[in-house]
Amino acid sequence: MMQRPHSSRGIEGIPAAGIPLLQVTELKTYFHTRDAVLRAVDGVSFSIDSGEVVGLVGESGSGKSMTGFSLLGLVDPPGRIEGGSIRLRGRELVGLTAGEWRSIRGREIAMVFQDPMATLNPLLTIGEQIRLAINAHERVGRQAARDRGIEVLNRVGIPEASRRLDAWPHQLSGGMRQRVAIAIALLHRPALIVADEPTTALDVSIQAQILAEVQTLVRELGTALLWISHDLATVSALASRLLVMYAGRIVEEGPCATVLREPRHPYTRGLLMSMPQFARPGEQLAQIPGAPPALSALPQGCAFAPRCQQASAQCQAAAPERQAQPSDLNSTVSRTGVRAWRCYHPLG
């Protein structure tokens, strides 16, 4: 079994009772261009508990990936975190130096990208890349690194792991490369993994295999997972809680099964109606009219109002505040049952 290496660096210990593993509050990540400011992440708040799987869904350009990059300090100029808070086990991450981010990234919080070649270096063998990833946070010998590499490759379902260590990335299939990327993310047994659409480019059968393996890993290791995707069907098979994002903001959240069965925000319903998996038999698939607004020119009111059939003058005048079910308004410990939305006319 993989043991978490002891170190005086990084963030150690277990969150105090009632404190989530990750607490994001009013996070704002903007991009400053010559002509405008793009509000890619605009006041996002959510939390994740240890061992929890949370899905973050929305159309392309909604700010999902940038939220993930912000959590790992991977926002480069002209982008920057303008405000808000990211607390991991109670420690504030916003404002850390580059060196402090490097000590956390990969060890306490790791990321799996959509394209595994964003993680893998085509000029190094899989074994060398695993050794370098280990040595980024601790010093071990080549044989010890090799043994650990075999262990993590076996854990993610790669056959003949010892032989794969000597392979080059181009010698592996897309599904195998993604497994390697997940294995590297698991090397230091991080408290949280952010997975940014890691199965989108894979065929359905390989997707199912990796999803099953990820579920097993989360259950066995107790690692929390933020799964970012535009595919509600994939998220529904994995996550216990769902965050729906539109134009840089979380517009709906709640238990995954409840949100899919009884969406409160018109945008969430539009996403569901556009997917074959959630359409009623014989019904024609519906499309959400129009297109998402430009992040450089968001409307004054609700960003979804121009595409919403229920929009009123109130929607166009001011953006709605977050609303939650009365029984959940004072909840500070249990977050898994909270139902919340940003809409003046929520669906019944």
Side-chain angles (χ1 to χ4, degrees), residues 4-13 103 107-108 137-138:
R4 186 182 187 85
H6 175 76
S7 171
S8 61
R9 296 184 302 167
I11 305 167
E12 300 293 339
S103 71
R107 183 179 184 83
E108 294 294 334
H137 296 287
E138 53 185 305

Side-chain angles (χ1 to χ4, degrees), residues 11-345:
I11 305 167
E12 300 293 339
I14 300 173
I19 298 178
L21 170 71
L22 177 75
Q23 181 71 59
V24 179
T25 307
E26 289 298 314
L27 178 64
K28 296 180 180 180
T29 301
Y30 295 171
F31 284 78
H32 294 260
T33 68
R34 183 186 300 271
D35 300 320
V37 176
L38 281 64
R39 293 179 283 175
V41 180
D42 195 21
V44 163
S45 299
F46 65 91
S47 62
I48 301 178
D49 290 324
S50 295
E52 186 181 20
V53 180
V54 174
L56 178 60
V57 300
E59 293 172 285
S60 296
S62 61
K64 309 184 304 297
S65 294
M66 194 50 57
T67 298
F69 293 156
S70 299
L71 297 183
L72 282 94
L74 294 175
V75 181
D76 295 322
R80 64 172 181 259
I81 295 177
E82 293 279 340
S85 170
I86 303 172
R87 293 176 100 49
L88 184 65
R89 286 178 169 159
R91 178 183 177 182
E92 181 59 64
L93 303 187
V94 174
L96 293 184
T97 66
E100 289 170 331
W101 270 116
R102 284 194 297 271
S103 71
I104 292 173
R105 197 182 298 129
R107 183 179 184 83
E108 294 294 334
I109 179 170
M111 191 162 191
V112 180
F113 298 91
Q114 178 177 343
D115 180 4
M117 295 308 288
T119 300
L120 302 179
N121 187 330
L123 302 180
L124 297 175
T125 65
I126 300 303
E128 279 297 294
Q129 298 189 57
I130 287 176
R131 184 180 67 82
L132 290 173
I134 294 173
N135 286 338
H137 296 287
E138 53 185 305
R139 296 302 174 194
V140 301
R142 284 186 174 272
Q143 187 57 51
R146 187 175 181 85
D147 292 342
R148 194 143 145 205
I150 292 173
E151 182 181 1
V152 293
L153 293 185
N154 280 325
R155 186 175 286 278
V156 297
I158 293 181
E160 301 180 279
S162 60
R163 186 167 68 87
R164 303 294 183 185
L165 287 177
D166 299 318
W168 303 86
H170 74 269
Q171 294 176 311
L172 305 180
S173 66
M176 202 71 76
R177 287 196 294 265
Q178 195 58 280
R179 283 182 170 90
V180 171
I182 294 172
I184 291 175
L186 291 169
L187 276 172
H188 298 283
R189 197 171 179 178
L192 172 67
I193 292 178
V194 177
D196 186 14
E197 307 210 45
T199 62
T200 299
L202 306 177
D203 64 56
V204 175
S205 61
I206 300 300
Q207 280 189 31
Q209 292 174 22
I210 290 181
L211 287 175
E213 289 161 2
V214 167
Q215 285 177 311
T216 300
L217 291 171
V218 169
R219 184 170 59 250
E220 291 179 351
L221 302 179
T223 297
L225 177 65
L226 177 64
W227 190 277
I228 299 172
S229 180
H230 67 278
D231 187 349
L232 274 170
T234 298
V235 172
S236 67
L238 187 66
S240 60
R241 193 152 53 91
L242 194 62
L243 309 172
V244 182
M245 196 166 188
Y246 184 79
R249 310 195 94 185
I250 302 295
V251 297
E252 182 163 3
E253 63 183 276
C256 189
T258 305
V259 172
L260 297 181
R261 184 176 63 252
E262 301 172 354
R264 302 305 305 273
H265 199 282
Y267 176 64
T268 307
R269 181 178 63 178
L271 289 178
L272 291 170
M273 293 179 65
S274 67
M275 300 185 63
Q277 296 92 333
F278 298 102
R280 295 176 181 175
E283 277 191 359
Q284 185 176 357
L285 293 181
Q287 291 184 338
I288 301 175
L295 296 177
S296 59
L298 294 174
Q300 177 179 342
C302 173
F304 188 63
R307 308 175 70 187
C308 182
Q309 297 179 349
Q310 298 181 198
S312 64
Q314 183 183 26
C315 303
Q316 297 170 354
E321 297 295 326
R322 180 180 183 272
Q323 303 292 322
Q325 291 179 338
S327 60
D328 296 320
L329 286 174
N330 297 319
S331 176
T332 57
V333 178
S334 176
R335 287 162 287 275
T336 58
V338 171
R339 286 283 278 128
W341 53 88
R342 290 178 180 271
C343 184
Y344 289 118
H345 309 293

